[in-house]
Amino acid sequence: MKKSLLTAMAFFVLTVTFAQTEEELKAQITPKKDSIAAIQSRVNALQKQLDALPGWKIGAFGTIGGSLSQFNNWFAQGIPNNSSGNIGFTVNAFANLQEEKFFWRNAANVNLTWVKLDDKDDPTDDDSFRQATDVFNISSLYGRKLSEKFAISALAEYRTTILSNFNDPGYLDLGVGATWTPISDLVVVIHPLNYNFVFSSEDNIFESSMGAKIVADYTKQLGAVSFKSNLSLFQSYKSSNLSNWTWTNSFSYSLWKMIGVGFDFGLRSNKQETLNYIVNNAPTPDPAATFDTIDNELQTYWTLGLSYKF
């Protein structure tokens, strides 16, 4: 009985001691978290001052994603003997010049992906890597400041594919208007005078036209997180069939030094590209299709993988 009582008392003392120690440690964590938050706030304020200084700001970050697999006699699936792979990367780069009376912002976005599926039981199938995502976009924006937030600006933007069908189609926007920068990380371009040059061998589908150009770009870095979102929209004055828009987003989280995890996704709407695909490239082409007989399908892509920050 005495041993049981002593054991119970010892267990009680240990429990109370552990509980006190745990509460003491938790009590010490709270002020340290507050200190870390205060330090990060001061760092962010200093970074904001650095970003506002005149001169060039150059940087880039990207995502690399990929997987390789092989199956032998895996009869639970439709192709039991196969090797497959998926490799892709995204690069977002910028070179921005900020001066007292003007700015010059340059950006590039490249997203390329290749896939393969080799059916070992079918000697006639294509066992090579084939392109899956092909995005190439460069832009240059010059602005003459009227105030800290408004400027008269000119924009040149070029979009195409580079793995195949380079510049077929290709899009070149040239326009003038105004640029609004409500905060340091957000740039909004509104150009009511813009000409959308379209380069393509399919002249009966693709057509250049005059219209309005709207671009919104948000680029932010918070500690280990890098984020970029870009919306580029062209509204044709001639016909809505000639309008198009593209929205791309890139996230990168640094885990160790310059290496981390990245995620990219994009949305696009372009009725001219949709019609061209249905007429010329669909599994069952429809040469009689017109803008009035097709649905403008939303185009999407996404990439998840390792990221590298330059």
Side-chain angles (χ1 to χ4, degrees):
M1 181 68 180
K2 185 182 293 184
K3 289 183 178 181
S4 299
L5 183 60
L6 291 174
T7 301
M9 292 178 63
F11 179 77
F12 176 77
V13 171
L14 287 174
T15 302
V16 172
T17 302
F18 175 78
Q20 290 176 339
T21 303
E22 183 181 14
E23 291 300 324
E24 290 172 357
L25 291 174
K26 287 182 177 180
Q28 295 178 36
I29 288 176
T30 301
K32 288 180 170 57
K33 283 185 176 180
D34 294 339
S35 299
I36 292 172
I39 293 171
Q40 186 62 54
S41 177
R42 292 195 294 269
V43 170
N44 293 339
L46 291 173
Q47 185 63 52
K48 187 175 181 179
Q49 294 179 34
L50 285 172
D51 293 339
L53 291 176
W56 283 98
K57 302 293 187 300
I58 299 174
F61 68 94
T63 301
I64 300 174
S67 65
L68 297 172
S69 64
Q70 180 167 323
F71 292 86
N72 294 306
N73 300 325
W74 198 266
F75 299 116
Q77 60 189 14
I79 305 177
N81 301 291
N82 76 78
S83 62
S84 63
N86 182 306
I87 300 173
F89 69 89
T90 302
V91 176
N92 294 282
F94 65 88
N96 300 331
L97 175 62
Q98 186 73 244
E99 295 294 345
E100 182 180 355
K101 295 184 178 181
F102 70 92
F103 61 80
W104 184 22
R105 303 175 64 90
N106 303 277
N109 171 257
V110 181
N111 188 311
L112 306 176
T113 304
W114 296 264
V115 297
K116 70 171 290 186
L117 175 61
D118 178 19
D119 184 352
K120 302 295 185 180
D121 299 322
D122 183 2
T124 64
D125 73 335
D126 187 356
D127 61 355
S128 62
F129 277 93
R130 293 173 292 172
Q131 69 175 67
T133 305
D134 192 354
V135 178
F136 178 78
N137 186 314
I138 56 174
S139 64
S140 183
L141 174 68
Y142 176 84
R144 197 74 183 179
K145 295 181 181 179
L146 301 178
S147 66
E148 284 300 314
K149 295 185 178 181
F150 289 95
I152 299 298
S153 56
L155 172 70
E157 183 183 64
Y158 178 68
R159 306 182 308 281
T160 187
T161 56
I162 57 178
L163 295 179
S164 65
N165 301 324
F166 176 73
N167 204 42
D168 188 13
Y171 306 88
L172 175 63
D173 280 293
L174 296 176
V176 295
T179 294
W180 177 43
T181 53
I183 56 178
S184 59
D185 305 305
L186 176 62
V187 179
V188 180
V189 179
I190 303 174
H191 285 179
L193 297 176
N194 183 91
Y195 199 83
N196 178 236
F197 294 91
V198 184
F199 311 100
S200 174
S201 57
E202 292 289 342
D203 295 335
N204 58 330
I205 296 177
F206 292 94
E207 183 180 351
S208 303
S209 65
M210 191 76 179
K213 183 73 174 181
I214 298 176
V215 176
D217 186 276
Y218 183 78
T219 304
K220 186 71 174 180
Q221 180 173 341
L222 290 172
V225 178
S226 296
F227 171 75
K228 180 178 177 65
S229 182
N230 180 276
L231 173 66
S232 178
L233 181 150
F234 171 72
Q235 180 62 51
S236 174
Y237 293 146
K238 185 175 182 179
S239 170
S240 61
N241 293 328
L242 307 180
S243 302
N244 63 77
W245 59 266
T246 303
W247 183 32
T248 58
N249 299 270
S250 297
F251 304 87
S252 177
Y253 181 78
S254 298
L255 297 174
W256 179 73
K257 293 186 178 180
M258 310 302 284
I259 299 175
V261 177
F263 177 68
D264 297 83
F265 76 91
L267 305 174
R268 181 169 173 79
S269 176
N270 189 313
K271 202 166 186 178
Q272 296 177 92
E273 292 177 349
T274 302
L275 179 59
N276 181 60
Y277 175 77
I278 293 174
V279 171
N280 298 304
N281 303 316
T284 55
D286 181 7
T290 66
F291 285 117
D292 296 328
T293 63
I294 65 170
D295 293 326
N296 188 18
E297 300 289 345
L298 181 65
Q299 306 173 40
T300 67
Y301 74 81
W302 63 268
T303 303
L304 175 65
L306 295 177
S307 65
Y308 188 85
K309 182 180 176 183
F310 300 91

